[in-house]
Amino acid sequence: MRILLAEDESALAQPLRNTLREQGYAVDWVDNGTDAQHQGLVEDYDAVILDLGLPGADGLSVLQAWRREGRDVPVLILTARDHWSEKVAGIDAGADDYLSKPFHTEELLARLRALIRRRSGVQNPVLHAGSVTLDTRSGRLSVNGQTVALTSHEYKVLAYLMHHANAVVSRTELTDHIYEQDLDRDSNTIEVFIGRLRKKLPEGTIETLRGLGYRLSGDAS
């Protein structure tokens, strides 16, 4: 899953970005509203963490611009303005959730997972597809009740496919959602990760549809 983090306080943004990466997210960080607005319009993110007090263009204006352009990415607002009117304004502008500073990182992570699940139509943080179980809170994969180790990129690919179970996901889409913007994106490596996952999952869990992409089969929930 790929996240846009729009936060101008580097003392907060840097450790938060590191934590998000440790949790298996690809994170693009911007420190001003102008760049945030641009990124949200040209890139396809799974969720956005948006500070209201951004320089250049405030977070509320950025959010309104995204919604005017039809961008429906889930947005979690961060605000140091712990006043009900600010929260109402954010929700009315199209925010999906908000969190006041200071906050506990675990709460932010839980709210972020909930936003991503909601967009994918998934209710449970523990994803299931047949005998395959992926706990998005811990990143732990089990097959038939047995824990199976994953590399960070294997986890990113599997998590995206399980959030979009039974849907066809192109290689380009996977590439866009597991890599950060400043990394060298080689879509051919997706085949490598898929191949590794197939060795760890029951046969037929991940299908290849020639010319279209991949589909994770099973009653995922």
Side-chain angles (χ1 to χ4, degrees):
M1 297 295 173
R2 188 172 169 214
I3 307 298
L4 175 62
L5 172 60
E7 169 59 61
D8 64 313
E9 297 180 35
S10 60
L12 171 61
Q14 290 285 15
L16 181 54
R17 186 185 192 188
N18 292 338
T19 297
L20 290 167
R21 284 171 163 173
E22 290 168 1
Q23 293 294 312
Y25 296 105
V27 185
D28 293 341
W29 171 41
V30 295
D31 61 3
N32 65 85
T34 303
D35 288 343
Q37 183 172 323
H38 174 75
Q39 287 293 105
L41 291 175
V42 301
E43 298 288 343
D44 188 14
Y45 292 102
D46 295 293
V48 176
I49 301 172
L50 177 66
D51 180 35
L52 283 186
L54 293 172
D58 66 89
L60 202 60
S61 298
V62 170
L63 178 56
Q64 290 169 333
W66 290 340
R67 297 312 190 216
R68 282 196 304 271
E69 294 297 323
R71 305 297 284 180
D72 62 353
V73 60
V75 174
L76 171 61
I77 279 182
L78 297 182
T79 175
R81 312 162 189 172
D82 191 14
H83 191 278
W84 68 267
S85 62
E86 295 286 349
K87 297 172 183 176
V88 169
I91 298 298
D92 283 345
D96 298 272
D97 201 356
Y98 65 84
L99 197 56
S100 297
K101 300 177 185 179
F103 54 82
H104 293 287
T105 302
E106 288 302 322
E107 181 180 1
L108 181 144
L109 292 173
R111 289 176 180 270
L112 186 61
R113 289 192 297 267
L115 289 182
I116 292 172
R117 290 198 308 271
R118 193 180 307 155
R119 190 187 199 194
S120 304
V122 177
Q123 302 301 319
N124 199 315
V126 181
L127 308 179
H128 301 277
S131 61
V132 178
T133 300
L134 184 68
D135 190 333
T136 60
R137 298 165 300 185
S138 64
R140 182 174 299 172
L141 168 68
S142 62
V143 178
N144 291 315
Q146 300 297 314
T147 300
V148 177
L150 291 174
T151 66
S152 61
H153 279 94
E154 289 169 359
Y155 171 80
K156 290 174 183 177
V157 171
L158 182 58
Y160 192 84
L161 290 176
M162 290 193 74
H163 275 93
H164 300 82
N166 297 313
V168 178
V169 178
S170 71
R171 189 167 60 179
T172 298
E173 182 178 346
L174 272 175
T175 302
D176 287 343
H177 285 267
I178 72 167
Y179 289 115
E180 297 173 5
Q181 186 180 39
D182 55 354
L183 293 181
D184 182 22
R185 300 181 183 181
D186 181 1
S187 63
N188 291 323
T189 60
I190 296 296
E191 294 182 6
V192 175
F193 300 138
I194 293 291
R196 292 176 182 172
L197 285 170
R198 284 191 170 126
K199 294 177 180 178
K200 299 180 179 184
L201 301 175
E203 185 176 355
T205 300
I206 300 177
E207 302 177 78
T208 297
L209 288 82
R210 188 175 300 276
L212 297 175
Y214 308 99
R215 178 170 58 202
L216 186 139
S217 300
D219 299 323
S221 60

